[in-house]
Short mmCIF file of all heavy atoms in Angstrom, two decimals:
data_model
loop_
_atom_site.label_atom_id
_atom_site.label_comp_id
_atom_site.label_asym_id
_atom_site.label_seq_id
_atom_site.Cartn_x
_atom_site.Cartn_y
_atom_site.Cartn_z
N MET H 1 -12.22 13.97 7.71
CA MET H 1 -13.48 14.39 8.28
C MET H 1 -13.33 14.49 9.79
O MET H 1 -12.83 13.58 10.44
CB MET H 1 -14.55 13.38 7.90
CG MET H 1 -15.91 13.74 8.36
SD MET H 1 -17.05 12.57 7.64
CE MET H 1 -18.39 12.83 8.73
N SER H 2 -13.77 15.58 10.34
CA SER H 2 -13.63 15.77 11.78
C SER H 2 -14.79 15.14 12.53
O SER H 2 -15.85 14.87 11.97
CB SER H 2 -13.52 17.25 12.12
OG SER H 2 -14.70 17.89 11.74
N ASP H 3 -14.58 14.92 13.79
CA ASP H 3 -15.61 14.33 14.64
C ASP H 3 -16.79 15.27 14.79
O ASP H 3 -16.62 16.48 14.88
CB ASP H 3 -15.07 14.05 16.05
CG ASP H 3 -14.15 12.86 16.09
OD1 ASP H 3 -14.13 12.09 15.13
OD2 ASP H 3 -13.44 12.72 17.10
N ASP H 4 -17.98 14.71 14.85
CA ASP H 4 -19.18 15.48 15.15
C ASP H 4 -19.32 15.50 16.66
O ASP H 4 -19.74 14.52 17.27
CB ASP H 4 -20.40 14.84 14.49
CG ASP H 4 -21.67 15.63 14.73
OD1 ASP H 4 -21.62 16.68 15.42
OD2 ASP H 4 -22.72 15.21 14.23
N LYS H 5 -18.95 16.59 17.29
CA LYS H 5 -18.93 16.67 18.74
C LYS H 5 -20.33 16.70 19.35
O LYS H 5 -20.48 16.53 20.55
CB LYS H 5 -18.12 17.87 19.18
CG LYS H 5 -16.66 17.72 18.82
CD LYS H 5 -15.86 18.92 19.23
CE LYS H 5 -14.46 18.78 18.71
NZ LYS H 5 -13.68 19.98 18.86
N ALA H 6 -21.36 16.91 18.52
CA ALA H 6 -22.72 16.90 19.03
C ALA H 6 -23.20 15.47 19.28
O ALA H 6 -24.06 15.23 20.11
CB ALA H 6 -23.66 17.59 18.03
N ARG H 7 -22.64 14.52 18.57
CA ARG H 7 -23.01 13.11 18.73
C ARG H 7 -21.92 12.42 19.54
O ARG H 7 -20.86 12.10 19.02
CB ARG H 7 -23.14 12.45 17.37
CG ARG H 7 -24.23 13.08 16.52
CD ARG H 7 -24.37 12.39 15.22
NE ARG H 7 -24.75 11.01 15.48
CZ ARG H 7 -24.70 10.04 14.60
NH1 ARG H 7 -24.28 10.29 13.39
NH2 ARG H 7 -25.07 8.82 14.91
N ARG H 8 -22.18 12.18 20.79
CA ARG H 8 -21.16 11.63 21.67
C ARG H 8 -21.64 10.31 22.24
O ARG H 8 -22.68 10.24 22.85
CB ARG H 8 -20.88 12.61 22.81
CG ARG H 8 -20.42 13.96 22.28
CD ARG H 8 -20.24 14.93 23.37
NE ARG H 8 -18.99 14.63 24.05
CZ ARG H 8 -18.55 15.27 25.10
NH1 ARG H 8 -19.24 16.23 25.61
NH2 ARG H 8 -17.42 14.93 25.65
N ASP H 9 -20.85 9.26 22.05
CA ASP H 9 -21.22 7.98 22.63
C ASP H 9 -20.07 7.35 23.41
O ASP H 9 -20.22 6.30 23.97
CB ASP H 9 -21.76 7.02 21.57
CG ASP H 9 -20.73 6.70 20.51
OD1 ASP H 9 -19.56 7.09 20.63
OD2 ASP H 9 -21.12 6.04 19.52
N PHE H 10 -18.93 7.99 23.44
CA PHE H 10 -17.80 7.63 24.29
C PHE H 10 -17.22 6.24 24.01
O PHE H 10 -16.57 5.67 24.86
CB PHE H 10 -18.18 7.74 25.78
CG PHE H 10 -18.67 9.11 26.13
CD1 PHE H 10 -20.00 9.34 26.39
CD2 PHE H 10 -17.78 10.17 26.18
CE1 PHE H 10 -20.45 10.62 26.70
CE2 PHE H 10 -18.22 11.44 26.49
CZ PHE H 10 -19.55 11.66 26.75
N ARG H 11 -17.45 5.69 22.82
CA ARG H 11 -16.89 4.37 22.50
C ARG H 11 -15.37 4.39 22.36
O ARG H 11 -14.74 3.37 22.53
CB ARG H 11 -17.51 3.82 21.24
CG ARG H 11 -18.90 3.29 21.48
CD ARG H 11 -19.42 2.65 20.26
NE ARG H 11 -19.80 3.69 19.33
CZ ARG H 11 -20.34 3.48 18.15
NH1 ARG H 11 -20.56 2.27 17.74
NH2 ARG H 11 -20.67 4.48 17.37
N ASP H 12 -14.80 5.53 22.02
CA ASP H 12 -13.36 5.57 21.81
C ASP H 12 -12.64 6.42 22.86
O ASP H 12 -11.58 6.97 22.60
CB ASP H 12 -13.03 6.04 20.41
CG ASP H 12 -13.45 7.47 20.13
OD1 ASP H 12 -14.19 8.04 20.96
OD2 ASP H 12 -13.05 8.00 19.09
N ARG H 13 -13.18 6.49 24.06
CA ARG H 13 -12.56 7.28 25.13
C ARG H 13 -11.19 6.74 25.52
O ARG H 13 -10.38 7.47 26.05
CB ARG H 13 -13.45 7.31 26.37
CG ARG H 13 -14.79 7.97 26.19
CD ARG H 13 -14.72 9.43 26.23
NE ARG H 13 -14.29 9.89 27.54
CZ ARG H 13 -14.15 11.15 27.84
NH1 ARG H 13 -14.43 12.06 26.96
NH2 ARG H 13 -13.74 11.51 29.02
N ASP H 14 -10.94 5.46 25.27
CA ASP H 14 -9.66 4.87 25.65
C ASP H 14 -8.65 4.93 24.52
O ASP H 14 -7.61 4.29 24.59
CB ASP H 14 -9.86 3.44 26.15
CG ASP H 14 -10.45 2.53 25.09
OD1 ASP H 14 -11.03 3.04 24.11
OD2 ASP H 14 -10.35 1.30 25.25
N ARG H 15 -8.91 5.72 23.49
CA ARG H 15 -8.02 5.86 22.35
C ARG H 15 -7.71 7.34 22.11
O ARG H 15 -8.51 8.21 22.42
CB ARG H 15 -8.66 5.30 21.08
CG ARG H 15 -9.10 3.88 21.20
CD ARG H 15 -7.95 2.95 20.99
NE ARG H 15 -8.39 1.57 21.19
CZ ARG H 15 -7.61 0.64 21.69
NH1 ARG H 15 -6.38 0.93 22.02
NH2 ARG H 15 -8.05 -0.57 21.87
N VAL H 16 -6.54 7.61 21.53
CA VAL H 16 -6.16 8.95 21.12
C VAL H 16 -5.95 8.92 19.61
O VAL H 16 -5.15 8.13 19.11
CB VAL H 16 -4.85 9.42 21.80
CG1 VAL H 16 -4.46 10.80 21.32
CG2 VAL H 16 -5.00 9.40 23.31
N SER H 17 -6.68 9.73 18.88
CA SER H 17 -6.59 9.75 17.43
C SER H 17 -5.51 10.71 16.98
O SER H 17 -5.56 11.91 17.27
CB SER H 17 -7.93 10.16 16.83
OG SER H 17 -7.81 10.29 15.42
N ALA H 18 -4.53 10.21 16.24
CA ALA H 18 -3.45 11.06 15.73
C ALA H 18 -3.96 12.01 14.64
O ALA H 18 -3.34 13.04 14.39
CB ALA H 18 -2.32 10.20 15.17
N GLU H 19 -5.08 11.68 14.01
CA GLU H 19 -5.63 12.54 12.96
C GLU H 19 -6.42 13.72 13.50
O GLU H 19 -6.68 14.67 12.78
CB GLU H 19 -6.54 11.72 12.04
CG GLU H 19 -5.79 10.85 11.06
CD GLU H 19 -5.66 9.43 11.58
OE1 GLU H 19 -6.64 8.93 12.17
OE2 GLU H 19 -4.59 8.84 11.43
N GLU H 20 -6.82 13.66 14.75
CA GLU H 20 -7.60 14.74 15.35
C GLU H 20 -6.68 15.65 16.16
O GLU H 20 -6.23 15.29 17.25
CB GLU H 20 -8.71 14.17 16.25
CG GLU H 20 -9.71 13.31 15.52
CD GLU H 20 -10.54 14.07 14.51
OE1 GLU H 20 -10.61 15.33 14.58
OE2 GLU H 20 -11.12 13.42 13.64
N ASP H 21 -6.42 16.84 15.62
CA ASP H 21 -5.49 17.77 16.27
C ASP H 21 -5.91 18.11 17.69
O ASP H 21 -5.07 18.22 18.58
CB ASP H 21 -5.36 19.06 15.46
CG ASP H 21 -4.54 18.87 14.19
OD1 ASP H 21 -3.71 17.94 14.16
OD2 ASP H 21 -4.73 19.65 13.25
N TYR H 22 -7.21 18.29 17.92
CA TYR H 22 -7.65 18.67 19.27
C TYR H 22 -7.37 17.55 20.27
O TYR H 22 -7.06 17.83 21.43
CB TYR H 22 -9.12 19.09 19.28
CG TYR H 22 -10.11 17.97 19.08
CD1 TYR H 22 -10.65 17.30 20.18
CD2 TYR H 22 -10.52 17.58 17.82
CE1 TYR H 22 -11.56 16.27 20.00
CE2 TYR H 22 -11.42 16.56 17.63
CZ TYR H 22 -11.94 15.91 18.73
OH TYR H 22 -12.84 14.89 18.56
N GLU H 23 -7.47 16.29 19.85
CA GLU H 23 -7.16 15.19 20.77
C GLU H 23 -5.66 15.15 21.08
O GLU H 23 -5.26 14.95 22.23
CB GLU H 23 -7.58 13.84 20.17
CG GLU H 23 -9.06 13.62 20.19
CD GLU H 23 -9.45 12.21 19.81
OE1 GLU H 23 -8.64 11.28 19.99
OE2 GLU H 23 -10.58 12.04 19.37
N VAL H 24 -4.84 15.36 20.06
CA VAL H 24 -3.39 15.37 20.26
C VAL H 24 -2.98 16.53 21.15
O VAL H 24 -2.21 16.36 22.10
CB VAL H 24 -2.65 15.44 18.89
CG1 VAL H 24 -1.16 15.65 19.08
CG2 VAL H 24 -2.92 14.16 18.09
N ARG H 25 -3.52 17.73 20.88
CA ARG H 25 -3.20 18.91 21.70
C ARG H 25 -3.62 18.70 23.15
O ARG H 25 -2.89 19.05 24.07
CB ARG H 25 -3.85 20.17 21.14
CG ARG H 25 -3.17 20.71 19.91
CD ARG H 25 -3.66 22.10 19.55
NE ARG H 25 -5.11 22.22 19.58
CZ ARG H 25 -5.92 22.08 18.54
NH1 ARG H 25 -5.41 21.82 17.37
NH2 ARG H 25 -7.23 22.23 18.67
N TYR H 26 -4.82 18.16 23.36
CA TYR H 26 -5.32 17.94 24.72
C TYR H 26 -4.43 16.95 25.47
O TYR H 26 -4.04 17.19 26.61
CB TYR H 26 -6.77 17.43 24.68
CG TYR H 26 -7.32 17.13 26.05
CD1 TYR H 26 -7.76 18.16 26.88
CD2 TYR H 26 -7.37 15.83 26.53
CE1 TYR H 26 -8.26 17.90 28.14
CE2 TYR H 26 -7.86 15.56 27.80
CZ TYR H 26 -8.31 16.60 28.60
OH TYR H 26 -8.79 16.33 29.85
N PHE H 27 -4.08 15.84 24.82
CA PHE H 27 -3.24 14.83 25.45
C PHE H 27 -1.85 15.42 25.76
O PHE H 27 -1.29 15.19 26.83
CB PHE H 27 -3.10 13.60 24.56
CG PHE H 27 -2.41 12.44 25.23
CD1 PHE H 27 -3.14 11.55 26.00
CD2 PHE H 27 -1.05 12.25 25.11
CE1 PHE H 27 -2.51 10.49 26.63
CE2 PHE H 27 -0.42 11.20 25.73
CZ PHE H 27 -1.15 10.31 26.50
N ALA H 28 -1.31 16.20 24.82
CA ALA H 28 0.00 16.82 25.01
C ALA H 28 -0.03 17.78 26.20
O ALA H 28 0.87 17.76 27.05
CB ALA H 28 0.41 17.57 23.75
N LYS H 29 -1.05 18.60 26.28
CA LYS H 29 -1.17 19.56 27.39
C LYS H 29 -1.33 18.82 28.72
O LYS H 29 -0.72 19.18 29.72
CB LYS H 29 -2.36 20.48 27.15
CG LYS H 29 -2.52 21.55 28.18
CD LYS H 29 -3.68 22.46 27.84
CE LYS H 29 -3.85 23.52 28.91
NZ LYS H 29 -4.97 24.41 28.61
N GLN H 30 -2.14 17.78 28.71
CA GLN H 30 -2.41 17.00 29.91
C GLN H 30 -1.14 16.37 30.47
O GLN H 30 -0.94 16.30 31.68
CB GLN H 30 -3.44 15.93 29.56
CG GLN H 30 -3.97 15.14 30.71
CD GLN H 30 -5.02 14.14 30.23
OE1 GLN H 30 -4.92 13.59 29.14
NE2 GLN H 30 -6.01 13.92 31.05
N HIS H 31 -0.25 15.93 29.58
CA HIS H 31 0.97 15.23 30.00
C HIS H 31 2.23 16.09 29.88
O HIS H 31 3.34 15.59 30.08
CB HIS H 31 1.13 13.95 29.20
CG HIS H 31 0.06 12.94 29.54
ND1 HIS H 31 0.11 12.17 30.66
CD2 HIS H 31 -1.10 12.63 28.92
CE1 HIS H 31 -0.96 11.40 30.71
NE2 HIS H 31 -1.71 11.67 29.67
N ARG H 32 2.03 17.37 29.54
CA ARG H 32 3.14 18.33 29.44
C ARG H 32 4.25 17.84 28.50
O ARG H 32 5.44 17.88 28.83
CB ARG H 32 3.70 18.66 30.82
CG ARG H 32 2.67 19.36 31.69
CD ARG H 32 3.24 19.88 32.98
NE ARG H 32 3.85 18.86 33.82
CZ ARG H 32 3.27 18.29 34.86
NH1 ARG H 32 2.07 18.63 35.19
NH2 ARG H 32 3.90 17.39 35.56
N ILE H 33 3.83 17.40 27.31
CA ILE H 33 4.76 17.06 26.23
C ILE H 33 4.27 17.76 24.97
O ILE H 33 3.17 18.31 24.95
CB ILE H 33 4.88 15.53 26.02
CG1 ILE H 33 3.53 14.91 25.64
CG2 ILE H 33 5.44 14.85 27.26
CD1 ILE H 33 3.59 13.43 25.31
N SER H 34 5.07 17.73 23.92
CA SER H 34 4.68 18.41 22.68
C SER H 34 3.74 17.54 21.85
O SER H 34 3.77 16.31 21.95
CB SER H 34 5.93 18.75 21.86
OG SER H 34 6.46 17.58 21.28
N PRO H 35 2.93 18.17 21.01
CA PRO H 35 2.07 17.39 20.11
C PRO H 35 2.86 16.44 19.21
O PRO H 35 2.40 15.34 18.93
CB PRO H 35 1.34 18.46 19.30
CG PRO H 35 1.31 19.65 20.20
CD PRO H 35 2.63 19.60 20.94
N GLU H 36 4.02 16.85 18.77
CA GLU H 36 4.85 15.98 17.94
C GLU H 36 5.30 14.75 18.73
O GLU H 36 5.35 13.64 18.19
CB GLU H 36 6.06 16.74 17.39
CG GLU H 36 6.85 15.94 16.38
CD GLU H 36 6.01 15.45 15.20
OE1 GLU H 36 5.16 16.21 14.71
OE2 GLU H 36 6.22 14.30 14.77
N GLN H 37 5.61 14.93 20.00
CA GLN H 37 5.97 13.78 20.83
C GLN H 37 4.78 12.83 20.98
O GLN H 37 4.97 11.62 20.98
CB GLN H 37 6.44 14.25 22.21
CG GLN H 37 7.81 14.86 22.22
CD GLN H 37 8.18 15.41 23.59
OE1 GLN H 37 7.41 16.16 24.19
NE2 GLN H 37 9.33 15.01 24.07
N VAL H 38 3.57 13.37 21.06
CA VAL H 38 2.37 12.53 21.15
C VAL H 38 2.24 11.70 19.87
O VAL H 38 2.02 10.49 19.93
CB VAL H 38 1.10 13.38 21.38
CG1 VAL H 38 -0.15 12.50 21.31
CG2 VAL H 38 1.16 14.10 22.70
N ARG H 39 2.40 12.34 18.73
CA ARG H 39 2.30 11.61 17.46
C ARG H 39 3.38 10.54 17.34
O ARG H 39 3.12 9.43 16.84
CB ARG H 39 2.34 12.58 16.29
CG ARG H 39 1.07 13.37 16.16
CD ARG H 39 1.01 14.16 14.86
NE ARG H 39 -0.28 14.81 14.74
CZ ARG H 39 -0.53 16.03 15.19
NH1 ARG H 39 0.40 16.74 15.77
NH2 ARG H 39 -1.73 16.55 15.04
N ASP H 40 4.58 10.85 17.82
CA ASP H 40 5.65 9.85 17.82
C ASP H 40 5.29 8.66 18.71
O ASP H 40 5.52 7.50 18.34
CB ASP H 40 6.98 10.45 18.29
CG ASP H 40 7.58 11.42 17.29
OD1 ASP H 40 7.19 11.39 16.10
OD2 ASP H 40 8.45 12.22 17.70
N LEU H 41 4.73 8.94 19.88
CA LEU H 41 4.31 7.86 20.79
C LEU H 41 3.21 7.00 20.16
O LEU H 41 3.24 5.78 20.29
CB LEU H 41 3.81 8.44 22.11
CG LEU H 41 4.86 9.00 23.06
CD1 LEU H 41 4.20 9.66 24.26
CD2 LEU H 41 5.81 7.92 23.50
N ILE H 42 2.28 7.64 19.47
CA ILE H 42 1.21 6.89 18.81
C ILE H 42 1.78 5.99 17.73
O ILE H 42 1.40 4.82 17.61
CB ILE H 42 0.13 7.84 18.24
CG1 ILE H 42 -0.62 8.53 19.39
CG2 ILE H 42 -0.84 7.09 17.34
CD1 ILE H 42 -1.55 9.64 18.94
N ARG H 43 2.73 6.51 16.95
CA ARG H 43 3.36 5.68 15.91
C ARG H 43 4.08 4.49 16.51
O ARG H 43 4.06 3.39 15.97
CB ARG H 43 4.36 6.52 15.10
CG ARG H 43 3.73 7.22 13.92
CD ARG H 43 4.77 7.90 13.05
NE ARG H 43 4.36 9.28 12.93
CZ ARG H 43 4.98 10.32 13.47
NH1 ARG H 43 6.08 10.17 14.14
NH2 ARG H 43 4.51 11.53 13.33
N GLU H 44 4.74 4.72 17.64
CA GLU H 44 5.57 3.68 18.26
C GLU H 44 4.77 2.68 19.09
O GLU H 44 5.05 1.49 19.08
CB GLU H 44 6.64 4.35 19.13
CG GLU H 44 7.68 3.39 19.66
CD GLU H 44 8.78 4.12 20.40
OE1 GLU H 44 9.02 5.30 20.13
OE2 GLU H 44 9.40 3.47 21.27
N HIS H 45 3.75 3.16 19.82
CA HIS H 45 3.07 2.31 20.81
C HIS H 45 1.58 2.08 20.52
O HIS H 45 0.92 1.40 21.31
CB HIS H 45 3.20 2.93 22.21
CG HIS H 45 4.61 3.06 22.67
ND1 HIS H 45 5.36 2.00 23.10
CD2 HIS H 45 5.43 4.14 22.73
CE1 HIS H 45 6.57 2.41 23.42
NE2 HIS H 45 6.63 3.71 23.21
N GLY H 46 1.06 2.67 19.46
CA GLY H 46 -0.37 2.54 19.19
C GLY H 46 -1.14 3.67 19.85
O GLY H 46 -0.55 4.58 20.41
N ASN H 47 -2.47 3.60 19.79
CA ASN H 47 -3.26 4.73 20.27
C ASN H 47 -4.02 4.46 21.57
O ASN H 47 -4.94 5.20 21.91
CB ASN H 47 -4.22 5.21 19.18
CG ASN H 47 -5.26 4.17 18.83
OD1 ASN H 47 -5.18 3.02 19.24
ND2 ASN H 47 -6.24 4.59 18.05
N ASP H 48 -3.64 3.46 22.31
CA ASP H 48 -4.27 3.17 23.60
C ASP H 48 -3.88 4.24 24.62
O ASP H 48 -2.70 4.47 24.88
CB ASP H 48 -3.85 1.78 24.10
CG ASP H 48 -4.46 1.45 25.44
OD1 ASP H 48 -5.70 1.34 25.50
OD2 ASP H 48 -3.70 1.31 26.42
N ARG H 49 -4.89 4.92 25.18
CA ARG H 49 -4.65 6.06 26.07
C ARG H 49 -3.83 5.67 27.31
O ARG H 49 -2.96 6.41 27.74
CB ARG H 49 -5.99 6.67 26.49
CG ARG H 49 -5.87 7.97 27.22
CD ARG H 49 -7.23 8.58 27.46
NE ARG H 49 -7.92 8.94 26.24
CZ ARG H 49 -7.76 10.11 25.60
NH1 ARG H 49 -6.92 11.00 26.08
NH2 ARG H 49 -8.43 10.37 24.51
N LYS H 50 -4.10 4.51 27.87
CA LYS H 50 -3.37 4.07 29.07
C LYS H 50 -1.89 3.85 28.77
O LYS H 50 -1.01 4.30 29.51
CB LYS H 50 -4.01 2.79 29.61
CG LYS H 50 -3.44 2.32 30.92
CD LYS H 50 -4.21 1.11 31.42
CE LYS H 50 -3.66 0.63 32.74
NZ LYS H 50 -4.40 -0.55 33.22
N THR H 51 -1.60 3.18 27.67
CA THR H 51 -0.21 2.93 27.26
C THR H 51 0.49 4.24 26.94
O THR H 51 1.64 4.46 27.35
CB THR H 51 -0.16 2.01 26.03
OG1 THR H 51 -0.82 0.78 26.35
CG2 THR H 51 1.27 1.73 25.61
N LEU H 52 -0.19 5.13 26.23
CA LEU H 52 0.41 6.42 25.89
C LEU H 52 0.70 7.25 27.13
O LEU H 52 1.73 7.92 27.21
CB LEU H 52 -0.51 7.19 24.95
CG LEU H 52 -0.66 6.61 23.54
CD1 LEU H 52 -1.71 7.39 22.78
CD2 LEU H 52 0.66 6.61 22.80
N GLY H 53 -0.19 7.20 28.11
CA GLY H 53 0.04 7.93 29.35
C GLY H 53 1.27 7.43 30.08
O GLY H 53 2.08 8.22 30.58
N ARG H 54 1.43 6.12 30.12
CA ARG H 54 2.60 5.52 30.77
C ARG H 54 3.88 5.95 30.04
O ARG H 54 4.87 6.35 30.67
CB ARG H 54 2.47 3.99 30.77
CG ARG H 54 3.61 3.29 31.48
CD ARG H 54 3.48 1.78 31.45
NE ARG H 54 3.58 1.30 30.08
CZ ARG H 54 2.71 0.55 29.44
NH1 ARG H 54 1.59 0.17 30.05
NH2 ARG H 54 2.90 0.16 28.20
N GLU H 55 3.87 5.90 28.72
CA GLU H 55 5.06 6.28 27.95
C GLU H 55 5.33 7.79 28.03
O GLU H 55 6.47 8.21 28.03
CB GLU H 55 4.91 5.84 26.50
CG GLU H 55 4.82 4.33 26.33
CD GLU H 55 6.04 3.60 26.86
OE1 GLU H 55 7.17 4.10 26.71
OE2 GLU H 55 5.86 2.52 27.44
N ALA H 56 4.29 8.60 28.12
CA ALA H 56 4.45 10.06 28.25
C ALA H 56 5.12 10.39 29.58
O ALA H 56 5.98 11.27 29.65
CB ALA H 56 3.11 10.76 28.13
N ARG H 57 4.74 9.67 30.64
CA ARG H 57 5.38 9.89 31.94
C ARG H 57 6.88 9.55 31.88
O ARG H 57 7.69 10.21 32.53
CB ARG H 57 4.69 9.09 33.02
CG ARG H 57 3.36 9.69 33.44
CD ARG H 57 2.76 9.02 34.68
NE ARG H 57 2.32 7.65 34.40
CZ ARG H 57 1.17 7.32 33.83
NH1 ARG H 57 0.34 8.26 33.44
NH2 ARG H 57 0.85 6.04 33.65
N LYS H 58 7.23 8.56 31.11
CA LYS H 58 8.65 8.20 30.95
C LYS H 58 9.41 9.31 30.24
O LYS H 58 10.57 9.57 30.57
CB LYS H 58 8.79 6.90 30.14
CG LYS H 58 8.37 5.66 30.90
CD LYS H 58 8.56 4.44 30.01
CE LYS H 58 8.02 3.19 30.66
NZ LYS H 58 8.15 2.03 29.75
N LEU H 59 8.77 9.96 29.28
CA LEU H 59 9.43 11.06 28.55
C LEU H 59 9.71 12.24 29.47
O LEU H 59 10.75 12.90 29.32
CB LEU H 59 8.55 11.55 27.40
CG LEU H 59 8.49 10.70 26.14
CD1 LEU H 59 7.53 11.33 25.15
CD2 LEU H 59 9.86 10.56 25.53
N ARG H 60 8.77 12.53 30.37
CA ARG H 60 8.97 13.68 31.28
C ARG H 60 10.07 13.43 32.30
O ARG H 60 10.64 14.34 32.81
CB ARG H 60 7.67 13.98 32.02
CG ARG H 60 6.68 14.73 31.20
CD ARG H 60 5.55 15.17 32.03
NE ARG H 60 5.07 14.03 32.81
CZ ARG H 60 4.08 14.08 33.68
NH1 ARG H 60 3.49 15.20 33.91
NH2 ARG H 60 3.70 13.01 34.33
N GLY H 61 10.29 12.17 32.59
CA GLY H 61 11.37 11.88 33.51
C GLY H 61 10.98 11.43 34.83
O GLY H 61 10.24 11.18 35.57
#
């Protein structure tokens, strides 16, 4: 089931959902990595946005 974008309460702003393609694509574009790399990072490090951002920067070099 996809998110209802009309109902926004921002409780999960600090998380990236691997099941939501638009969240993965947005995070990938933001950090200039592939969506598959984002899913790999989520599997390895969890879905905390701050941790994923730090690990994405390491991937870019």
Side-chain angles (χ1 to χ4, degrees):
M1 184 172 161
S2 63
D3 287 345
D4 182 359
K5 294 179 186 170
R7 298 181 62 194
R8 301 176 77 183
D9 62 8
F10 303 107
R11 284 185 284 182
D12 65 349
R13 297 281 296 180
D14 61 342
R15 305 278 177 213
V16 178
S17 175
E19 284 96 40
E20 298 295 342
D21 287 335
Y22 71 92
E23 286 190 25
V24 172
R25 285 192 313 266
Y26 178 79
F27 188 86
K29 183 177 179 180
Q30 188 178 35
H31 292 281
R32 296 188 301 260
I33 60 176
S34 73
E36 187 57 39
Q37 286 175 309
V38 174
R39 287 190 176 90
D40 289 343
L41 287 175
I42 292 171
R43 272 187 234 110
E44 189 174 335
H45 299 284
N47 65 349
D48 179 64
R49 190 173 296 274
K50 186 176 181 180
T51 302
L52 292 174
R54 183 181 65 235
E55 296 301 321
R57 284 189 291 279
K58 288 180 186 177
L59 283 178
R60 282 189 310 179

